[in-house]
Amino acid sequence: MSAIYIVKEIYIYPIKSLAGISLESAKAEEMGFENDRRWMLVDAENQMLTQREHRVMSQFYPQISDGKISIAFQDQKHEFSINEHLEKAIEVNVWDDKSEVVEVNLETSKWFSQHLGFECKLVKIIKNGDRKHESSRLKEIFNVSLADGYPYLLIGSKSLDFLNDKLDEKITIKRFRPNLVVSTRNPHEEDDFKTFAIGEVQFKNIKPCGRCVMVNNDPENGRLKKEPLKTLSKYRNVDNSVLFGTNIVSLNSGIISVGDEVVF
């Protein structure tokens, strides 16, 4: 009998709130997958920018190749080196967490400013520990990237199937911006995962993920819709938070791949 719990999809989002990249394998690190949300756009006051206020950000598509990140937007492209950055430290907030970052370069910031229509800059988190996030549930502090809260988001396949059965217009998993999609037996059973291994990497479940209006932003065209938050709120509302997927952390580093078994 074949295993039930298998990694079906792996995603990274190099620049926070821009489109993601589907991978066949990825290196898991404490802060999240390698190159996942290590970069972020901030405005002139160094406040983070996301799709919540700027839905067009979903239409910027990154790719990684030969040590460079290229960004495509409409018919325009721009690229920069993964390792390049200016030296001056900048303090930014990711929600309630302070983080030390550096600007990538002036040309890249200018390119994004031109296409977003206002002054902004692309910044990068350099090293593990430059941002710390405290879990209110576990009273533990984690080293994280520029993700909203935790390094990894895992979603079970049956959770999306169950939701789509209730929707007139079916959606893809991309609405929820997961890092890992795992085949499951039942809807939302990932909420109750404890510790588990994928390949050589050990993971620990922290808590189910509360979702915001951003899941209503259609990544195909950047248009805001009423679903799936409207439907989800009818059956996944817990303590005024609409839950979908679960936040996890890795306990060590290693490579994981599509097709790997999830071992409990």
Side-chain angles (χ1 to χ4, degrees):
M1 180 173 138
S2 61
I4 295 294
Y5 301 95
I6 299 293
V7 175
K8 295 183 65 179
E9 299 171 74
I10 296 172
Y11 294 94
I12 63 170
Y13 309 86
I15 302 175
K16 182 180 181 68
S17 236
L18 270 54
I21 301 174
S22 174
L23 300 176
E24 286 299 310
S25 63
K27 182 182 179 182
E29 301 174 334
E30 182 182 7
M31 290 172 66
F33 283 131
E34 183 179 27
N35 294 322
D36 182 43
R37 288 168 293 196
R38 302 302 200 269
W39 293 266
M40 178 174 75
L41 287 163
V42 298
D43 65 16
E45 282 74 47
N46 294 329
Q47 299 300 306
M48 72 175 185
L49 302 174
T50 76
Q51 284 184 38
R52 294 170 183 84
E53 297 80 26
H54 307 283
R55 296 193 300 276
V56 70
M57 290 174 68
S58 67
Q59 304 305 293
F60 288 78
Y61 297 92
Q63 289 295 330
I64 298 179
S65 179
D66 299 324
K68 293 184 177 181
I69 296 182
S70 62
I71 310 291
F73 176 68
Q74 297 175 353
D75 59 347
Q76 302 293 312
K77 285 193 174 182
H78 178 79
E79 71 175 21
F80 58 91
S81 169
I82 284 177
N83 295 321
E84 72 177 293
H85 60 83
L86 304 180
E87 294 303 319
K88 183 181 178 182
I90 302 169
E91 186 178 273
V92 299
N93 289 340
V94 180
W95 302 115
D96 293 331
D97 303 334
K98 293 188 182 302
S99 177
E100 184 173 295
V101 298
V102 287
E103 188 172 3
V104 171
N105 64 54
L106 298 179
E107 182 183 357
T108 296
S109 294
K110 181 179 178 181
W111 187 83
F112 276 107
S113 298
Q114 289 173 338
H115 291 291
L116 287 172
F118 54 86
E119 183 183 347
C120 63
K121 52 181 170 278
L122 184 69
V123 299
K124 179 184 181 181
I125 188 169
I126 296 295
K127 62 183 185 293
N128 203 21
D130 280 349
R131 178 187 169 209
K132 298 181 180 296
H133 178 74
E134 181 176 2
S135 166
S136 57
R137 182 174 182 176
L138 298 181
K139 304 303 181 186
E140 290 184 46
I141 294 176
F142 299 97
N143 292 320
V144 297
S145 65
L146 299 171
D148 272 0
Y150 293 94
Y152 300 90
L153 176 69
L154 182 149
I155 296 177
S157 59
K158 289 297 182 182
S159 301
L160 181 65
D161 293 345
F162 189 70
L163 171 61
N164 268 328
D165 285 344
K166 303 175 184 299
L167 297 177
D168 294 330
E169 182 181 345
K170 310 307 179 190
I171 62 173
T172 70
I173 202 70
K174 290 182 178 180
R175 286 290 190 98
F176 298 99
R177 299 173 67 82
N179 294 111
L180 288 164
V181 181
V182 171
S183 58
T184 46
R185 298 173 187 262
N186 302 302
H188 306 295
E189 63 179 300
E190 62 269 24
D191 290 5
D192 299 315
F193 288 179
K194 303 300 183 188
T195 58
F196 55 94
I198 301 174
E200 59 192 37
V201 184
Q202 298 285 330
F203 290 94
K204 178 168 72 172
N205 191 14
I206 302 300
K207 68 180 185 68
C209 182
R211 310 314 299 237
C212 68
V213 70
M214 194 164 144
V215 300
N216 286 352
N217 189 25
D218 188 340
E220 297 302 318
N221 51 37
R223 294 175 185 160
L224 188 66
K225 301 186 175 181
K226 293 182 179 180
E227 296 288 7
L229 208 56
K230 179 180 177 182
T231 294
L232 274 175
S233 64
K234 295 176 181 177
Y235 71 99
R236 290 289 293 168
N237 194 326
V238 179
D239 296 329
N240 294 317
S241 186
V242 179
L243 306 180
F244 196 92
T246 196
N247 295 297
I248 63 176
V249 297
S250 63
L251 304 180
N252 63 303
S253 298
I255 304 295
I256 70 172
S257 301
V258 171
D260 283 352
E261 184 177 356
V262 181
V263 180
F264 298 93

